[in-house]
Amino acid sequence: MASKLDQLREMTTVVADTGDIKAVAKIKPVDCTTNPSIVLKALSTDMFDEQFAAAIKWGKSQSGDREDVVAAVASRLAIDVGAALVDLVPGRVSTEVDADLSFNTEGSIKKAHEIIAAYEERGIGRERILIKLASTWEGIRACEVLQKEGIDCNLTLLFSKCQAIACADAGAFLISPFVGRILDWYKKATGEDYTAETDPGVLSVRSIYNYYKSNGIKTVVMGASFRNTGEIEGLAGCDRLTISPNLLEELEADQGKLERKLSPDAFEPEPKVEMDEQTFRWMMNEDAMATEKLAEGIRNFAADLGKLRTRVAKELDA
């Protein structure tokens, strides 16, 4: 029998959640997703020593505000990682707008334009890139503008249905509802253990998937942030799943039968929800898990971005 990974690929587009070049070359996913944490980890390996040295040399030749130069070098390095991944996958690579712009619509739009321009300078078209934005109200509004400009977006740090509805209304190309981080919150809050069928993260993505399919929404649902293969199996059939290399290897080694859990042709009818800013903010306020995990995710990504900028600053001063 085919491995569970091969069976999964028959019903779901498999995306690698990593900046590990060797892992991507081995796994051969369709797409790749990155975030500040993944970029920082990738740049900590010797595979990007040449690009890092070139970026620092470029930074030293730049004039202007020092913080702006540091930020520009850090951005260039994130594009270096993304460009390396583009060479390895046939599909798209997600590149994240700086986390400290998560509540700045205009700043996010400007940064997205810079990211697309940087890729185009390397001969990589926008059709190969997804701009990754936090699913804040401001990030969703930036997505709405960018999508109308023909720049496809990946809305990340998504923990609630109201975020998913707002993203769909904005015309987002793709959303990344998190699974494992939802499970983390509930395990800590309740002290209980969960199976794949009771996992609150799995149930959240299933609910979003059902809402989208029942309302004919074209936005791609890509489950993310998995803690174990059981969560992945619980979402078999989802449009896309972005999975870390270690969990992909576990699925590849498992020869058991994989049951399809989601299908675009099997859904429960569900009325469309009208989502405005007031409704969005109230629904987020009423969901302690989503509010806390969104804020925590932004802080963590901002912290890793800060670590990268600190490293860059030290090299520029050397």
Side-chain angles (χ1 to χ4, degrees):
M1 183 177 288
S3 71
K4 283 187 176 179
L5 179 57
D6 287 337
Q7 294 174 68
L8 181 65
R9 282 176 165 148
E10 291 295 318
M11 59 184 88
T12 292
T13 298
V14 174
V15 180
D17 193 8
T18 183
D20 186 331
I21 300 300
K22 292 180 180 178
V24 172
K26 177 183 177 182
I27 298 164
K28 295 180 172 57
V30 174
D31 297 338
C32 262
T33 59
T34 68
N35 59 44
S37 304
I38 288 173
V39 169
L40 182 65
K41 185 176 181 180
L43 292 171
S44 297
T45 69
D46 58 9
M47 295 197 70
F48 289 94
D49 284 351
E50 185 177 335
Q51 291 92 329
F52 194 89
I56 295 300
K57 181 179 180 180
W58 175 82
K60 288 183 175 181
S61 71
Q62 303 301 301
S63 59
D65 182 81
R66 183 175 181 278
E67 287 189 8
D68 289 343
V69 172
V70 169
V73 173
S75 295
R76 173 174 169 149
L77 289 167
I79 302 298
D80 283 336
V81 174
L85 293 170
V86 166
D87 287 340
L88 293 174
V89 298
R92 301 189 184 228
V93 171
S94 291
T95 297
E96 195 140 355
V97 166
D98 296 345
D100 54 11
L101 295 172
S102 295
F103 303 103
N104 183 338
T105 298
E106 292 304 317
S108 293
I109 294 169
K110 179 182 177 182
K111 187 64 183 179
H113 289 160
E114 291 174 0
I115 291 170
I116 292 299
Y119 276 114
E120 289 178 343
E121 286 176 4
R122 297 166 187 245
I124 300 170
R126 64 180 61 185
E127 73 279 358
R128 299 294 311 280
I129 305 301
L130 290 179
I131 294 296
K132 212 169 179 185
L133 298 154
S135 298
T136 57
W137 182 256
E138 294 79 8
I140 294 168
R141 297 282 66 78
C143 163
E144 185 173 34
V145 173
L146 293 167
Q147 287 289 162
K148 289 177 181 177
E149 296 176 349
I151 297 174
D152 288 334
C153 299
N154 170 355
L155 273 294
T156 188
L157 293 176
L158 195 149
F159 301 95
S160 73
K161 199 167 185 175
C162 71
Q163 288 174 291
I165 293 170
C167 290
D169 290 346
F173 175 82
L174 179 149
I175 62 168
S176 296
F178 281 29
V179 179
R181 296 194 197 188
I182 293 178
L183 175 65
D184 294 344
W185 191 92
Y186 277 98
K187 287 180 72 172
K188 183 178 179 180
T190 67
E192 297 179 14
D193 288 323
Y194 297 88
T195 67
E197 290 303 310
T198 63
D199 187 310
V202 171
L203 297 178
S204 175
V205 176
R206 287 182 180 178
S207 177
I208 291 168
Y209 182 91
N210 187 80
Y211 179 86
Y212 275 22
K213 301 314 175 189
S214 68
N215 284 285
I217 293 168
K218 301 303 182 184
T219 298
V220 175
V221 180
M222 182 173 75
S225 169
F226 295 106
R227 296 293 178 258
N228 53 68
T229 56
E231 290 182 320
I232 297 167
E233 293 180 37
L235 293 173
C238 192
D239 298 334
R240 302 186 191 190
L241 297 175
T242 178
I243 308 169
S244 63
N246 62 309
L247 293 179
L248 286 170
E249 289 176 2
E250 285 187 37
L251 289 168
E252 190 170 35
D254 191 337
Q255 301 296 312
K257 180 174 175 54
L258 181 65
E259 179 185 351
R260 184 169 195 143
K261 297 293 184 179
L262 296 174
S263 169
D265 302 318
F267 52 81
E268 295 295 326
E270 193 170 344
K272 197 170 188 303
V273 175
E274 296 300 322
M275 186 64 63
D276 56 19
E277 182 177 359
Q278 180 179 334
T279 304
F280 176 89
R281 294 196 185 280
W282 180 254
M283 292 179 72
M284 285 295 290
N285 182 73
E286 291 298 284
D287 189 336
M289 177 277 297
T291 297
E292 291 174 20
K293 298 308 286 187
L294 173 60
E296 178 187 71
I298 292 171
R299 286 195 301 271
N300 288 343
F301 284 165
D304 281 335
L305 178 60
K307 290 176 185 176
L308 175 57
R309 288 177 177 172
T310 296
R311 183 182 171 193
V312 166
K314 288 181 179 177
E315 292 294 331
L316 288 174
D317 291 340

